[in-house]
Amino acid sequence: MASCRRLPLHPFLSSTSARLVCRRNVQVEASTAKSLYPPILPSRTAKSKSAKRRVATEFFEQLRACTPQEKIRALTRVQRKKYVIYPQTFALNADKWYQHYTKTAYLSGLPEKYSASTNAAVDESVLSEVRSVVCDSLLQELWYLKKGRTFTHKEQEQFVTPFLRNIVCGLKNLLAKENSVLSQSSLDFDPQVNYYWLRGERTIPEGHRRGLVEPVRFQIDDKPHSQIRVPQQLPEFVPLEAEISTEVPVITLAPDLLPLFRRQYDNNIFIGAKLEDPFCYGHTQFHMVPDRFHRNKMSKRGLSDQVEVSLRANGIASLFAWTGAQAMYQGFWSEEDVSRPFVSQAVITDGQFFSFFCYQLNTLALSPRADVNNSKKNLCWGTESMRLYERITDGDIVGLNDAVLKLLLQFLLNKPQC
Amino acid sequence: MAKRIIYPLYQLGNPQLRLFRPTFNLTLVRPGKEQPPDTVQFRIPMEMTKFDVRNYLEKIYSVPVAAVRTRIQYCTNKKRNHLNQRVKRPDYKVAYVQLAQQQTFQFPDIFPEKDKKHEEGSVEEMQEKFMEDERQRQKPDPRRGGVTEWFGL
């Protein structure tokens, strides 16, 4: 109280006294003043959410300075139960679910590069050579070679696998003079393609970790029939920041209802060759539809409308895994998103029907931490399945479809910009 | 097939098994957890298999079935009665049936909420009005802005 003070009070009575007039612009100086003290950070070892956040942030900061090998090792070291996604699946309507888990927008039809109006540049002589290669291998496997009937579930392996192998080999060597990148490419048979990523969150329902919020982990282990890897990246179909109106479908249900099953094993990220391989970018993958998903078998089970769905799911999952693994090999990951789009192509066939898919990876940031403000999405273009030939009679192919051959040719002639 | 008969094993060359009056009963239940729109949940007898469910629905009810998945729910044997004997709650089998041709099914609301309107002049109406007035009287003064009576002079 003022009455207890022994000091004189008259300096405070005047409003112009030295004590009351403040000559420094305190607010301005505070923002530009050099801080004498280190920044206030939350603790690193406390049992608090801010401490966990700080530990995670410091771990990710320290990862930015590592080599791609170390980044992949650090991100896949800890094993936990994860959902295993099979590209060739029996699950119904799997393509919508897979689109949600890979943040892919599916566009029917191929990009402008392959649309019908730009077909004029196809060379007739090259097309006729392609036609002869395809017809020769088709007749060889299905007519000239005397093959006995095998078990029902081994028919594709007996008839279609060697046909596809011959086509891929023959066309790659034929078109090496048209497309110089094919001559310095690597053709793998039965390669392994693996990818591991985090997407979305869930609350653990039971167990000693009950109530904790953790990210949902996914793994794709794919074995395409064959693939072509090249040393340079294919050109993008659409710029990275382009606005695409097609939306990514959103599924709010748990993955168990698809059905997807959880297992725990090595988290692998692999494009088909190890990190040091010079052919680290993907060109085209070739997939074969296995016997149990052949359209005859599906229609006998009453699932004729699921044939196209399963082809789309196969294309989306396989290509996302391949492009994602390529991006991880270059050092991009969820916190360091891709600065240029990664592009790959795929051809899925069951011997008679061919479908073509193109994939552009625009974003790898799918983990719950990185997906907060991410407006980019991956794009997948795909066609319906097109018949290559009607039937084979007396050493002659009836009803050969040239459109399929043209598309195959254009796919293989796709070359990176010099 | 039938509930209390040993399943006849089918071998190549046997005649096609035909049933004209199966003794199975299926119970359509509301799913406990949210299911996709094309999935229907049934409780089925333990002896039924996936193929039985598919044939049952397709032949008798002509429902196009795309996929059937089953599981057995084990119920507790821990509860004890007044004689301290363990009482088993019976197990049951659940089938999740996915419909073909993009059909969907939503379990209907069997007990919808009804706004109870008592008729004019009846005893219940007066009781309801009295209770409403009581509740209104017990509420604190709105002019005090949520501050309790404890604060004040």
Side-chain angles (χ1 to χ4, degrees):
Chain A
M1 280 183 18
S3 49
C4 303
R5 288 276 208 107
R6 313 226 21 226
L7 295 170
L9 289 175
H10 56 86
F12 295 117
L13 296 173
S14 158
S15 59
T16 55
S17 65
R19 284 229 179 136
L20 296 178
V21 170
C22 189
R23 286 197 193 92
R24 291 181 305 158
N25 286 336
V26 185
Q27 268 88 29
V28 170
E29 276 200 27
S31 54
T32 55
K34 222 175 23 187
S35 57
L36 302 167
Y37 305 101
I40 302 175
L41 290 172
S43 149
R44 207 186 288 130
T45 50
K47 201 178 158 191
S48 68
K49 287 191 199 149
S50 49
K52 275 182 68 167
R53 243 183 285 136
R54 185 184 165 191
V55 167
T57 316
E58 284 190 353
F59 176 67
F60 292 150
E61 288 301 313
Q62 170 245 330
L63 258 196
R64 277 167 216 266
C66 294
T67 62
Q69 181 108 14
E70 288 164 8
K71 280 183 198 168
I72 292 178
R73 174 69 189 148
L75 292 169
T76 56
R77 188 176 64 93
V78 177
Q79 283 186 19
R80 281 246 176 231
K81 281 228 169 189
K82 59 193 173 180
Y83 287 103
V84 182
I85 290 186
Y86 292 93
Q88 293 171 327
T89 175
F90 55 82
L92 305 177
N93 300 327
D95 61 337
K96 293 266 171 346
W97 297 68
Y98 286 5
Q99 279 179 50
H100 172 65
Y101 297 133
T102 60
K103 205 175 179 188
T104 314
Y106 178 78
L107 305 153
S108 58
L110 289 175
E112 294 87 31
K113 204 166 157 178
Y114 298 124
S115 64
S117 54
T118 49
N119 262 356
V122 169
D123 205 354
E124 262 313 308
S125 60
V126 181
L127 186 64
S128 59
E129 284 180 346
V130 166
R131 194 181 296 129
S132 66
V133 165
V134 171
C135 294
D136 283 343
S137 20
L138 201 55
L139 287 171
Q140 173 79 359
E141 294 306 324
L142 295 177
W143 180 256
Y144 292 122
L145 260 187
K146 233 185 157 58
K147 289 186 189 173
R149 259 182 58 202
T150 37
F151 299 105
T152 319
H153 60 276
K154 289 196 187 156
E155 275 172 7
Q156 293 286 87
E157 189 196 319
Q158 168 112 334
F159 295 105
V160 179
T161 310
F163 161 57
L164 202 54
R165 212 182 304 140
N166 289 339
I167 282 191
V168 172
C169 241
L171 288 182
K172 179 198 163 214
N173 295 327
L174 179 74
L175 297 172
K177 58 182 188 300
E178 305 287 323
N179 187 359
S180 56
V181 81
L182 281 183
S183 56
Q184 337 152 354
S185 61
S186 163
L187 174 60
D188 316 322
F189 288 108
D190 280 328
Q192 275 203 22
V193 173
N194 307 326
Y195 189 56
Y196 168 82
W197 77 104
L198 272 59
R199 168 91 166 135
E201 282 184 316
R202 71 169 197 138
T203 316
I204 305 177
E206 276 305 323
H208 65 282
R209 298 167 73 213
R210 181 195 165 131
L212 294 178
V213 170
E214 68 155 14
V216 185
R217 289 164 282 265
F218 295 95
Q219 169 87 40
I220 293 184
D221 296 319
D222 188 21
K223 288 190 72 113
H225 171 272
S226 49
Q227 67 184 20
I228 300 178
R229 283 177 295 118
V230 289
Q232 289 112 27
Q233 177 67 62
L234 286 177
E236 60 192 24
F237 294 120
V238 172
L240 189 61
E241 302 293 341
E243 294 285 325
I244 305 284
S245 55
T246 328
E247 287 300 321
V248 178
V250 174
I251 311 269
T252 43
L253 302 164
D256 296 83
L257 298 173
L258 176 57
L260 273 181
F261 301 100
R262 287 153 64 87
R263 270 190 293 151
Q264 177 174 325
Y265 57 99
D266 267 335
N267 304 326
N268 298 322
I269 295 183
F270 197 61
I271 63 168
K274 294 194 179 161
L275 215 102
E276 294 80 16
D277 201 297
F279 303 120
C280 50
Y281 293 101
H283 189 277
T284 320
Q285 262 184 350
F286 291 87
H287 292 263
M288 200 187 57
V289 172
D291 291 279
R292 64 190 282 220
F293 304 119
H294 194 84
R295 49 189 68 220
N296 306 340
K297 305 262 169 62
M298 298 278 261
S299 60
K300 262 203 279 190
R301 303 202 299 246
L303 300 169
S304 338
D305 50 340
Q306 293 292 325
V307 170
E308 294 293 325
V309 168
S310 69
L311 292 174
R312 283 202 292 267
N314 191 359
I316 290 174
S318 302
L319 285 174
F320 172 75
W322 205 24
T323 47
Q326 288 169 42
M328 302 260 331
Y329 271 30
Q330 299 307 310
F332 298 109
W333 51 295
S334 328
E335 302 294 320
E336 282 179 78
D337 211 355
V338 290
S339 53
R340 57 186 196 279
F342 281 75
V343 162
S344 288
Q345 302 167 139
V347 178
I348 307 186
T349 174
D350 67 354
Q352 198 178 14
F353 288 85
F354 280 71
S355 327
F356 299 88
F357 293 89
C358 303
Y359 198 92
Q360 176 162 327
L361 186 85
N362 292 329
T363 174
L364 263 189
L366 302 174
S367 68
R369 198 189 144 99
D371 200 22
V372 176
N373 288 330
N374 193 14
S375 59
K376 293 191 261 191
K377 53 194 172 214
N378 305 320
L379 301 165
C380 182
W381 291 266
T383 61
E384 303 278 312
S385 44
M386 294 184 270
R387 200 189 277 267
L388 177 65
Y389 63 94
E390 299 279 334
R391 59 189 181 280
I392 302 199
T393 42
D394 288 340
D396 217 2
I397 303 179
V398 176
L400 191 67
N401 187 358
D402 269 352
V404 175
L405 296 172
K406 271 199 199 128
L407 267 178
L408 205 54
L409 178 62
Q410 281 177 315
F411 259 46
L412 286 173
L413 285 181
N414 193 6
K415 62 168 97 165
Q417 287 151 350
C418 307
Chain B
M1 232 232 355
K3 267 193 88 166
R4 285 150 85 226
I5 298 181
I6 307 168
Y7 260 80
L9 188 65
Y10 177 80
Q11 287 165 317
L12 190 67
N14 288 3
Q16 168 76 51
L17 186 66
R18 286 181 170 82
L19 267 188
F20 297 104
R21 301 225 301 263
T23 51
F24 291 133
N25 308 305
L26 261 57
T27 317
L28 223 191
V29 294
R30 177 192 292 280
K33 297 205 169 106
E34 170 102 36
Q35 294 287 337
D38 63 344
T39 304
V40 190
Q41 189 166 335
F42 290 96
R43 281 199 191 176
I44 61 179
M46 286 288 225
E47 295 80 15
M48 248 180 130
T49 61
K50 293 180 184 180
F51 305 98
D52 287 329
V53 172
R54 179 189 287 267
N55 290 338
Y56 191 100
L57 289 173
E58 281 181 345
K59 302 268 163 59
I60 302 179
Y61 292 94
S62 38
V63 169
V65 169
V68 182
R69 296 189 292 275
T70 57
R71 68 178 178 94
I72 297 183
Q73 177 63 53
Y74 168 79
C75 295
T76 178
N77 199 10
K78 196 174 186 182
K79 293 272 161 85
R80 290 181 184 259
N81 59 8
H82 61 287
L83 301 169
N84 206 28
Q85 298 156 341
R86 273 179 301 175
V87 174
K88 165 79 178 164
R89 278 206 191 136
D91 303 332
Y92 56 89
K93 200 182 246 196
V94 181
Y96 301 91
V97 173
Q98 278 187 303
L99 303 171
Q101 291 150 29
Q102 311 289 330
Q103 292 184 1
T104 56
F105 177 78
Q106 177 68 29
F107 195 85
D109 194 7
I110 313 175
F111 307 109
E113 287 277 330
K114 277 201 304 252
D115 287 319
K116 270 215 295 263
K117 267 318 263 191
H118 302 286
E119 53 177 60
E120 298 296 315
S122 68
V123 183
E124 289 92 6
E125 164 97 45
M126 286 194 323
Q127 273 174 346
E128 194 55 48
K129 214 162 159 324
F130 178 72
M131 293 307 296
E132 191 57 48
D133 285 339
E134 267 301 319
R135 260 177 254 134
Q136 205 51 30
R137 238 173 286 145
Q138 296 293 346
K139 275 212 180 89
D141 192 355
R143 293 173 297 181
R144 289 182 62 82
V147 179
T148 48
E149 290 282 338
W150 190 90
F151 298 98
L153 301 163

